[in-house]
């Protein structure tokens, strides 16, 4: 992946809208930074001209049109979730798509509105004789440790047991790119680099250093794709699969904006989201990119 931002300098401007620290585009318009991925259509992607397309970019354009006519966004790839969180905290990144809600995140970001639901999967070797994770205790019956991304949020009971049940926690390892990571009590901790994270996880699973990793559907697909590209020293029989974690309830995901963006701007964006839900704008965008899927619930207020 490329660096966090194409431009490094940010200007403090747009007092009329109270945007905080935003970049000024060449045409003088105020520009938000949004963390997007070019290979995750229908959520986000780029066409042959480099223009961002997909449900996420279309939703951002619609909300900015409603809340701040003339404003625009610039998509940028984030090296890791941990770095994305730090960038949101400092205000050098403004929008994140599909973020799971957790009370501890409220001091960093404003949850504008629900954009989707997400299920969790265990990415593991194809020869692991497991078809589903039906209960939390099923994790303890696996032959090795399972990776949990330290800043991820999935299931309340799962999080509670990781903190309060040392025996359960020993079934997991965590990763973090923070300088002073705070990992869950009872769990081991290993450090990974940002570069090639998906490849690193694919190799760790193929080598049986870990049994698997808990991720969402899009991330699972990227890790499996990375494993398929590993030809040496692995044979063609070494492949990964995504196992349903039925022990976790599906979670809501949200469009969020950094709290470094001024409060009145965040209020405008939330009202724009609510208007899009009420007048059918959100549904139109959803149907364009997800024609076979049911519209997610309108969980705009937490």
């Amino acid at each position: 992946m490329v660096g966090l931002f194409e431009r490094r300098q940010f200007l403090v401007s747009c007092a009329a809208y109270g945007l905080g620290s935003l970049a000024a585009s060449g045409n003088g318009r105020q520009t938000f930074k949004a963390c997007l991925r070019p290979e995750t259509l229908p959520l986000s992607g780029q066409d042959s001209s480099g223009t961002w397309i997909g449900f996420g970019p279309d939703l951002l354009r619609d909300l900015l049109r409603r809340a701040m006519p003339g404003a625009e966004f610039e998509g940028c790839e984030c090296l890791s979730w941990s770095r994305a969180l730090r960038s949101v905290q400092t205000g050098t990144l403004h929008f994140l798509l599909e973020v799971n809600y957790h009370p501890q995140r409220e001091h960093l970001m404003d949850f504008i509105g629900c954009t989707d639901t997400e299920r969790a999967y265990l990415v593991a070797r194809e020869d692991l004789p497991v078809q589903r994770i039906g209960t939390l205790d099923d994790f303890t019956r696996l032959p090795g440790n399972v990776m949990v991304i330290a800043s991820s949020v999935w299931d309340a009971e799962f999080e509670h047991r990781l903190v309060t049940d040392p025996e359960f926690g020993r079934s997991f390892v965590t990763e973090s790119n923070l300088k002073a990571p705070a990992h869950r009590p009872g769990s081991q901790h290993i450090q990974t680099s940002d570069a090639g994270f998906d490849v690193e996880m694919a190799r760790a699973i193929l080598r049986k250093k870990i049994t698997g990793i808990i991720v969402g559907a899009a991330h699972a697909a990227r890790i499996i794709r990375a494993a398929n590209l590993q030809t040496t020293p692995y044979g063609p029989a070494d492949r990964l699969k995504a196992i349903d974690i039925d022990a976790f309830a599906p979670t809501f995901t949200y469009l969020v904006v950094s709290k470094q963006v001024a409060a009145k701007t965040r209020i405008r964006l939330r009202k724009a989201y609510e208007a899009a839900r009420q007048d059918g704008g959100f549904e139109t965008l959803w149907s364009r990119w997800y024609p076979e899927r049911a519209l997610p619930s309108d969980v705009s207020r937490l």
Side-chain angles (χ1 to χ4, degrees):
M1 286 185 245
V2 299
L4 278 175
F5 309 110
E6 296 176 3
R7 296 198 302 247
R8 300 287 180 177
Q9 301 301 318
F10 298 90
L11 303 177
V12 177
S13 54
C14 199
Y17 283 110
L19 294 184
S21 177
L22 296 182
S25 63
N27 57 19
R29 295 178 178 178
Q30 300 307 312
T31 305
F32 289 90
K33 296 285 186 175
C35 180
L36 301 172
R37 291 183 180 273
E39 77 286 359
T40 58
L41 283 173
L43 176 61
S44 67
Q46 289 178 293
D47 62 18
S48 59
S49 68
T51 299
W52 288 99
I53 59 174
F55 174 73
D58 279 359
L59 179 62
L60 287 174
R61 291 188 187 97
D62 184 63
L63 297 186
L64 290 175
R65 175 186 62 81
R66 294 169 183 266
M68 299 175 49
E72 57 190 24
F73 73 88
E74 180 177 316
C76 54
E77 292 186 76
C78 298
L79 289 174
S80 72
W81 174 240
S82 297
R83 284 197 178 184
L85 288 180
R86 293 203 297 275
S87 297
V88 166
Q89 184 174 18
T90 61
T92 52
L93 182 64
H94 307 111
F95 284 113
L96 292 175
L97 294 172
E98 299 203 320
V99 176
N100 300 114
Y101 173 75
H102 193 282
Q104 293 180 356
R105 294 176 175 174
E106 287 190 323
H107 73 287
L108 298 177
M109 58 190 71
D110 206 340
F111 290 76
I112 299 302
C114 177
T115 56
D116 204 351
T117 56
E118 185 174 35
R119 292 189 59 85
Y121 296 87
L122 175 67
V123 178
R125 288 175 57 100
E126 275 195 352
D127 57 7
L128 184 71
V130 175
Q131 302 304 316
R132 60 186 288 270
I133 302 294
T135 69
L136 295 182
D137 286 332
D138 286 346
F139 285 113
T140 66
R141 302 183 184 101
L142 296 174
N145 293 118
V146 171
M147 170 75 79
V148 180
I149 298 176
S151 53
S152 63
V153 177
W154 288 111
D155 180 84
E157 179 61 23
F158 177 68
E159 297 289 324
H160 177 73
R161 287 194 62 181
L162 283 174
V163 172
T164 61
D165 186 344
E167 186 66 28
F168 182 75
R170 276 191 281 273
S171 297
F172 302 90
V173 293
T174 63
E175 66 80 37
S176 175
N177 291 299
L178 300 176
K179 292 182 179 178
H183 63 283
R184 297 176 171 92
S187 65
Q188 301 178 52
H189 181 85
I190 65 176
Q191 193 78 7
T192 61
S193 62
D194 288 342
F197 177 78
D198 296 343
V199 172
E200 190 172 350
M201 290 301 99
R203 289 174 176 171
I205 298 169
L206 289 171
R207 293 170 178 169
K208 299 185 180 181
K209 294 176 65 176
I210 57 175
T211 295
I213 181 171
I214 298 173
V215 290
H219 199 174
R222 295 202 308 272
I223 294 174
I224 292 172
R225 186 163 57 247
N228 291 339
L229 297 176
Q230 303 301 306
T231 57
T232 304
Y234 313 107
D238 289 319
R239 292 290 184 266
L240 303 184
K241 64 181 178 181
I243 301 170
D244 288 326
I245 303 180
D246 294 333
F248 294 176
T251 61
F252 293 110
T253 61
Y254 295 81
L255 171 68
V256 302
V257 62
S258 167
K259 283 203 170 177
Q260 294 301 312
V261 173
K264 61 183 180 181
T265 300
R266 291 184 270 121
I267 291 172
R268 285 193 180 106
L269 290 166
R270 192 179 302 113
K271 289 182 176 178
Y273 171 87
E274 293 168 354
R277 279 292 199 165
Q278 293 169 6
D279 64 21
F282 184 98
E283 183 175 2
T284 297
L285 296 178
W286 181 267
S287 299
R288 178 186 304 165
W289 292 103
Y290 300 106
E292 305 299 325
R293 292 185 55 197
L295 192 70
S297 300
D298 181 6
V299 189
S300 57
R301 303 297 292 181
L302 301 169

